[in-house]
Every structure is written in C-alpha cells, then in structure tokens.
C-alpha cells in the first residue's frame, strides 16, 4: 500500500529530478515561439550587469521600433550598395560600452539562433560585417574606441572601434618619432583593418600592421574574454591576417609602435601617357620594389580628359636632400626636383595620402561621419609577380581609358615584405610579389542598371589584367572583400569546399591551418559570414 506521504515524497523527488529538463523544455518552447523575446530576456540576465559599465547592455541596444535604429545602422555604412530600402536589416543593434556588452551579444545571439555580424568601421567592401540574409544581430563596435599609448614601452593598445586616424593622432600627440604601419584611409576601423593584414606606406620598412601586433583581446564563442596567453598561439596567429570575425569578436589590439624621423618628405608627381607616363610605369615596376626601404612610391592611375594620368605618390622617411640623392641614383627618369617635395611630421603625411588639402591640421584625423555615405563603390585586388611589358601596358591603358571612372592603385612590395615568411601570419602575399593592385569604381547615380553597368566595367578591367597577375590561384587581399572570387551561400551556411575557392586566393597554403584553428575554437561555426573560415565538419 502506498501512503499519501510517500506518494508526495516521490512526486517531490521526481519533480526535483525533472526540473532542469522542464526548464530547458520551457526555454526551448519560448525560443522557438519568439526568439526575439528570448534574446531580450537573455540580455536582461543579471550576469551582464557590471558596476563599471556606464549603461546596461539593454541601454546599448537598438531594436527596430527604436527611433534611432535606422540612423545607427546607416551611420557607418560606407557603401550605398548596402544601404537601400530592401537591404536586410538586423533584428537589433548593440553598441557596446563595456566588455560585458560584447559577451552578452555573443552569448545571447548564439542562444537565440541569431547570426552575429561585427562592424568596426563599416568599410567592408561587400557589406558582410553588417548585412545578412538570415536573422542577425549587429554588434557595432564604433562606441568601443579607447586608445592608450605607452611611449616608454613604444606600444599602443587600441580598441576595435577606433579608427586609423584616431590612432595616428593619439600616437602623434604622445611622440613625434613614433608611427603606426597601417592604411591611408583615416576612417577605417582598426578592428577589421588589422585583422585582415593592414598594409600602408610603412610596409616596405616595417611590414604590415599584423606584423607589429604583440597582443590582442578577443571574446570567444562561449563569451570568454581571452588575451594572447589564454587564447594560445594558434588562435593569436589566426586572427592576425585571417580575419578576426571568423573566430570571435576582437575587443582590442596591442601593437608595437615603429620609429619614424621627426620630419618625413612627401611628393605627388602627375604624368599622362603623352608625357611619357607609360615608360615611367614600366621603369617603376623594376625599381619601386628595390628602392631603399625608407622610400614608398605608390601609383594612383585614373582617366583624365580621355587619357591615362599616373600619379607617383611618395612617402620618404627622411629629409628632402637625402631623398633627392637616392632618387637620382635609382629613378632619375622621374625627374624629381626639390620644389616637388614637402617636408612635414609623419602624422601630417597621413593627411597628405588621404588627399586632404595641404596645411590641414592633424585634428582632422579625428573626424567621424555625421551621415551615411552617398556613394556606391565596388573594388577588387590582384598581385603582380612579373614585370608587365611595355606592350602589355598598352593593352591595360586601352581598356582602362574605356572605363572612364575607375581608379587603380599599385602598391610596391620589397623590403620588409620580402623578409617575412608567408606562413608567419595568415597573410601570405610576401616574397615573390612585385606589387599589389587595388581596382575601384565609385559612382553616385541610383538605379540597378547603373549599378550593373559599373560592376561590369570593373569586371572587364579585371579580366583584361588576367595575363599579368598571379595564377593558380589568382591571389586576392582579404580586406578588399570581393564576392566575385567565391562565397558561401547567402543562407548562412558555410562549408570547406566552397570556402577553399576563396580561401586559397586570400590565404594560399595558410587556409588549411586556419580551418584547423576554427575547428578547435568554434566547432559549431557560430562566427560565420559569406567568406569566413569554416570548421572541418561543414
């Protein structure tokens, strides 16, 4: 005979044993019925409350019914191709003010089966950092932008939402003899720029930005905050050139500052084809990668008045007299004179390369956009390993003139870029490359016909360049995202076979190691986008 007391005891025991299962079932039911509500409930968890945070994570949250939602979304959208009425919008935007907000974004997005897209400066060429065709949350890092410079140790700690311009300015405020090897666009975010490699005018002297990163902080798939020691050398290797967004959320970078002289010299010389520009480009290919490491001469090529105009744009780490002496020995054909040159502090040279007017104050580097971009653009990249013949250049110019609104930038290698092994970081484009090419086309007119027309112009130019660039595979630069070279389906899935198509172009032999690291740190492939690194099982 079973007594009522023993029956109650059995029921209590059974309830205790089943309680976790019941809770899980209820949570699962809520999740499937209303993932948005589940996401908000997760964000409200006391786990994310931190007394040092200026606001709660829900205070950093913008949902679609918030009047500021579209303003926040579009403010750092740098390409109008991905800011149109039918462009997919996120479920919510989180603008973190504390590390706990980033942890909450990761854990709660994962628990709610939402994808997480991570935007640093908004310059992703294909919009992958802020657009997805599946339900997603946008973690917009622009609020996370503290910079701490330690001149005694010659280091800078920069949070992922800070721009290159803000970093350059802060370093210069602390020292006139230290610089940062990074790109020339001041508004680019450091989070993505460094994660993909980060090249600029100092690369022939000091390599890429990632070659000078000595520590990093990242939030992993489980919401843990890791530094170099706790993440391990494999993951630290992967995020320095393999794209941090495949492995976690980059919180900050610590980099070694490099030495620059108190005064550097710059110049910009323009030459059209009628002024012998083609012969100068042919000569440039031979000498630019072999010049003294203190000299960086980029070519900016565009169409002006139905002809090709080539701009030779230089930064030299030293005074003008020494530059003239070196150029007279190595590249006398350019005809450089003292009146062509300008001396200035290194920080001002970053404004010169960004094409700000001469005399612009350094504070301009702190500029932040107040409205979304009003232009459309598309870009592609290439690597050249053999000098393009004079005849080959003529075929390039013929196609280029027909493009009318395109720009090409040819960036010389050599120096430190040839010293560093291809396997030192995931960025493999080292020895054997003479220069890198960026192709870009920009326009302001709306309409699908205009967009398709301009995309076809760029693709036609890229096709004409095929005989002159790297092969098997045709290499590409990760930070110049290009959907044309291969991508995973837009439904949010990724697999190794599809990823290898673009992965070999971005990373060459380093792709397989990146897959191994991904399999270890994110085996369920939470951190993913159309050109991300997948784990083995996908």
């Amino acid at each position: 005979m079973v007594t009522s007391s023993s029956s109650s005891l059995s029921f209590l025991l059974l309830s205790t044993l089943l309680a976790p299962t019941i809770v899980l079932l209820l949570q699962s039911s809520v999740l499937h019925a209303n993932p948005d509500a589940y996401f908000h409930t997760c964000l409200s968890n006391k786990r994310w409350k931190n007394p040092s945070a200026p606001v709660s994570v829900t205070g950093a949250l913008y949902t679609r019914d918030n009047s500021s939602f579209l303003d926040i979304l579009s403010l750092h959208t740098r390409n109008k191709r991905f800011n149109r009425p039918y462009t997919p919008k996120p479920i919510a935007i989180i603008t973190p003010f504390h590390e706990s907000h980033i942890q909450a974004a990761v854990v709660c997005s994962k628990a709610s089966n939402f994808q997480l897209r991570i935007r640093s400066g908004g310059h992703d060429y294909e919009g992958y950092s802020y657009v997805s065709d599946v339900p997603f949350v946008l973690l917009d890092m622009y609020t996370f932008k503290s910079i701490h410079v330690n001149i005694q140790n010659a280091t800078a700690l920069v949070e992922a939402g800070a721009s290159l311009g803000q970093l350059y300015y802060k370093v210069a405020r602390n020292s006139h003899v230290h610089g940062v090897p990074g790109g020339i666009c001041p508004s680019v975010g450091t989070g993505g720029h460094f994660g993909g490699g980060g090249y600029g005018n100092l690369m022939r002297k000091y390599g890429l930005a990632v070659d000078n990163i000595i520590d990093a902080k990242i939030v992993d798939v489980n919401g843990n905050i890791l530094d170099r020691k706790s993440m391990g050398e494999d993951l630290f290797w992967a995020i320095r050139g393999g794209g941090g967004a495949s492995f976690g959320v980059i919180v900050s970078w610590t980099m070694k500052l490099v030495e620059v002289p108190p005064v550097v010299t710059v110049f910009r010389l323009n030459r059209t084809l009628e002024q012998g520009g083609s012969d100068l480009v042919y000569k440039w290919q031979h000498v630019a990668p072999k010049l003294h490491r203190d000299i960086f001469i980029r070519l900016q090529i565009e169409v002006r008045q139905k002809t090709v105009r080539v701009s030779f744009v230089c930064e030299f780490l030293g005074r003008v007299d020494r530059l003239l002496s070196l150029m007279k020995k190595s590249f006398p054909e350019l005809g450089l004179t003292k009146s062509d040159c300008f001396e200035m502090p290194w920080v001002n040279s970053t404004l010169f390369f960004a094409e700000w007017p001469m005399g612009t104050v350094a504070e301009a580097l702190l500029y932040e956009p107040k409205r979304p971009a009003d232009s459309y653009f598309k870009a592609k990249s290439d690597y050249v390993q053999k000098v393009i013949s004079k005849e080959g250049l003529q075929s390039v110019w013929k196609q280029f003139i027909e493009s009318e609104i395109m720009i090409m930038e040819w960036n010389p290698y050599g120096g430190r870029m040839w010293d560093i092994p291809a396997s030192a970081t995931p960025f493999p484009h080292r020895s054997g490359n003479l220069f890198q090419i960026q192709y870009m086309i920009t326009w302001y007119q709306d309409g699908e016909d205009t967009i398709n027309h301009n995309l076809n112009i760029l693709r036609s130019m890229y096709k004409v360049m095929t005989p002159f660039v790297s092969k098997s595979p045709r290499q590409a630069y990760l930070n110049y995202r290009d959907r044309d070279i291969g991508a995973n389906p837009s439904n949010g899935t990724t697999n190794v076979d599809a990823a290898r198509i673009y992965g070999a172009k971005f990373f060459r032999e380093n792709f397989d190691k990146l897959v191994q690291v991904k399999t270890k740190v994110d085996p369920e492939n939470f951190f993913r986008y159309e050109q991300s690194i997948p784990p083995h099982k996908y």
Side-chain angles (χ1 to χ4, degrees):
M1 179 178 181
V2 179
T3 65
S4 60
S5 59
S6 63
S7 178
S8 299
L9 183 62
S10 298
F11 178 78
L12 181 62
L13 180 61
L14 183 61
S15 299
T16 302
L17 291 172
L18 291 178
T21 302
I22 293 171
V23 170
L24 288 173
L25 288 171
L26 289 173
Q27 288 178 334
S28 178
S29 176
V30 172
L31 172 59
H32 290 293
N34 193 339
D36 285 29
Y38 188 87
F39 177 72
H40 285 80
T41 300
C42 178
L43 291 180
S44 301
N45 192 300
K46 64 181 180 181
R47 173 184 176 185
W48 313 122
K49 293 181 179 179
N50 192 299
S52 63
V55 297
S56 67
V57 65
T58 52
L61 177 71
Y62 296 85
T63 56
R64 291 178 177 179
D65 57 359
N66 188 297
S67 60
S68 299
F69 177 83
L70 290 178
D71 291 336
I72 295 295
L73 177 62
S74 62
L75 183 60
H76 294 91
T77 300
R78 311 290 189 179
N79 192 341
K80 200 174 178 181
R81 281 204 296 142
F82 309 111
N83 190 21
R84 292 188 280 174
Y86 54 81
T87 301
K89 307 296 190 290
I91 298 296
I93 304 170
I94 295 177
T95 58
F97 292 94
H98 191 270
E99 291 174 350
S100 61
H101 299 168
I102 303 172
Q103 292 175 290
V106 171
V107 172
C108 295
S109 296
K110 181 183 176 185
S112 305
N113 292 328
F114 291 146
Q115 245 187 39
L116 184 68
R117 296 294 169 112
I118 308 153
R119 182 164 70 178
S120 174
H123 288 78
D124 189 308
Y125 282 10
E126 294 289 0
Y128 293 150
S129 67
Y130 53 89
V131 177
S132 177
D133 287 334
V134 299
F136 73 104
V137 172
L138 173 60
L139 180 60
D140 202 338
M141 298 289 289
Y142 80 94
T143 50
F144 218 74
K145 55 187 177 184
S146 294
I147 300 170
H148 303 282
V149 177
N150 186 328
I151 292 301
Q152 184 175 357
N153 295 330
T155 61
L157 188 154
V158 53
E159 291 181 341
S163 69
L164 291 177
Q166 291 163 352
L167 175 59
Y168 297 161
Y169 178 81
K170 190 67 175 285
V171 170
R173 283 295 301 268
N174 284 270
S175 170
H176 295 300
V177 292
H178 288 89
V180 178
I184 68 166
C185 181
S187 59
V188 166
T190 56
H193 182 68
F194 293 170
Y199 80 88
N201 302 343
L202 298 178
M203 69 176 181
R204 299 191 66 250
K205 179 78 170 184
Y206 295 112
L208 307 173
V210 291
D211 298 325
N212 297 276
I213 296 291
I214 58 175
D215 205 343
K217 190 178 286 187
I218 186 172
V219 173
D220 73 2
V221 69
N222 298 312
N224 300 312
I225 299 175
L226 309 173
D227 60 9
R228 178 175 183 173
K229 183 178 180 180
S230 55
M231 78 175 75
E233 288 301 304
D234 284 347
L235 181 53
F236 184 64
W237 174 87
I239 62 176
R240 291 177 301 129
S246 287
F247 305 95
V249 180
I250 301 297
V251 177
S252 65
W253 303 102
T254 301
M255 68 186 317
K256 194 74 176 173
L257 301 177
V258 300
E259 294 181 1
V260 296
V263 176
V264 304
T265 303
V266 300
F267 69 76
R268 174 187 290 267
L269 282 179
N270 301 323
R271 297 289 187 267
T272 64
L273 297 187
E274 291 74 16
Q275 295 171 323
S278 190
D279 287 341
L280 288 174
V281 171
Y282 178 73
K283 180 68 175 182
W284 174 90
Q285 295 179 88
H286 288 86
V287 302
K290 299 177 182 177
L291 289 170
H292 193 285
R293 295 184 181 204
D294 288 344
I295 304 176
F296 178 88
I297 304 178
R298 154 184 285 159
L299 301 187
Q300 184 169 309
I301 307 170
E302 53 195 322
V303 178
R304 292 292 178 93
Q305 298 179 339
K306 301 298 183 179
T307 189
V308 174
R309 189 186 78 173
V310 182
S311 298
F312 296 80
V313 193
C314 174
E315 177 173 82
F316 172 65
L317 300 178
R319 306 297 294 252
V320 62
D321 290 339
R322 180 165 168 254
L323 172 61
L324 291 172
S325 176
L326 290 170
M327 291 293 287
K328 186 176 181 179
K329 294 176 183 177
S330 302
F331 199 0
E333 296 85 352
L334 192 58
L336 184 68
T337 66
K338 193 167 188 175
S339 62
D340 297 319
C341 303
F342 302 91
E343 294 184 334
M344 59 186 65
W346 171 79
V347 70
N348 294 84
S349 75
T350 66
L351 291 164
F352 176 83
F353 267 81
E355 300 187 4
W356 286 77
M358 195 68 72
T360 299
V361 296
E363 282 72 18
L365 292 169
L366 302 176
Y367 170 78
E368 295 186 7
K370 301 297 188 293
R371 60 181 184 179
D374 59 356
S375 62
Y376 301 83
F377 75 86
K378 166 73 177 175
K380 301 176 81 67
S381 61
D382 260 323
Y383 288 87
V384 176
Q385 298 172 336
K386 295 181 180 179
V387 170
I388 303 174
S389 68
K390 290 185 177 182
E391 294 75 20
L393 288 174
Q394 292 306 315
S395 65
V396 172
W397 306 144
K398 180 181 178 181
Q399 178 68 34
F400 192 67
I401 289 174
E402 293 178 4
S403 74
E404 294 187 348
I405 61 173
M406 263 190 62
I407 292 177
M408 287 194 293
E409 291 180 344
W410 295 13
N411 298 283
Y413 267 45
R416 182 66 178 147
M417 291 299 293
W418 285 354
D419 294 341
I420 300 172
S423 60
T425 68
F427 181 97
H429 317 293
R430 305 287 188 169
S431 179
N433 292 294
L434 297 177
F435 57 96
Q436 178 224 53
I437 298 177
Q438 177 179 206
Y439 313 86
M440 180 171 285
I441 189 165
T442 303
W443 67 97
Y444 294 87
Q445 300 80 13
D446 297 325
E448 289 300 318
D449 289 345
T450 301
I451 291 174
N452 291 329
H453 173 73
N454 288 323
L455 294 183
N456 286 333
I457 287 175
L458 184 70
R459 289 164 181 156
S460 296
M461 187 71 224
Y462 186 74
K463 183 178 180 180
V464 166
M465 293 296 293
T466 302
F468 312 119
V469 299
S470 61
K471 299 172 178 63
S472 301
R474 185 172 183 172
Q475 298 173 42
Y477 177 39
L478 176 64
N479 278 354
Y480 293 164
R481 299 252 190 250
D482 180 7
R483 187 185 293 265
D484 296 344
I485 69 169
N488 279 288
S490 58
N491 63 5
T493 61
T494 59
N495 67 77
V496 173
D497 290 337
R500 190 176 298 280
I501 296 172
Y502 58 81
K505 298 169 185 176
F506 287 143
F507 309 114
R508 295 177 56 195
E509 290 81 6
N510 294 329
F511 174 73
D512 287 329
K513 183 176 178 180
L514 287 167
V515 171
Q516 292 173 8
V517 176
K518 173 72 170 184
T519 304
K520 180 180 179 180
V521 303
D522 184 17
E524 299 303 316
N525 202 28
F526 171 67
F527 291 110
R528 65 187 185 274
Y529 56 92
E530 288 80 353
Q531 289 184 332
S532 62
I533 302 294
H536 269 303
K537 76 174 190 176
Y538 283 83

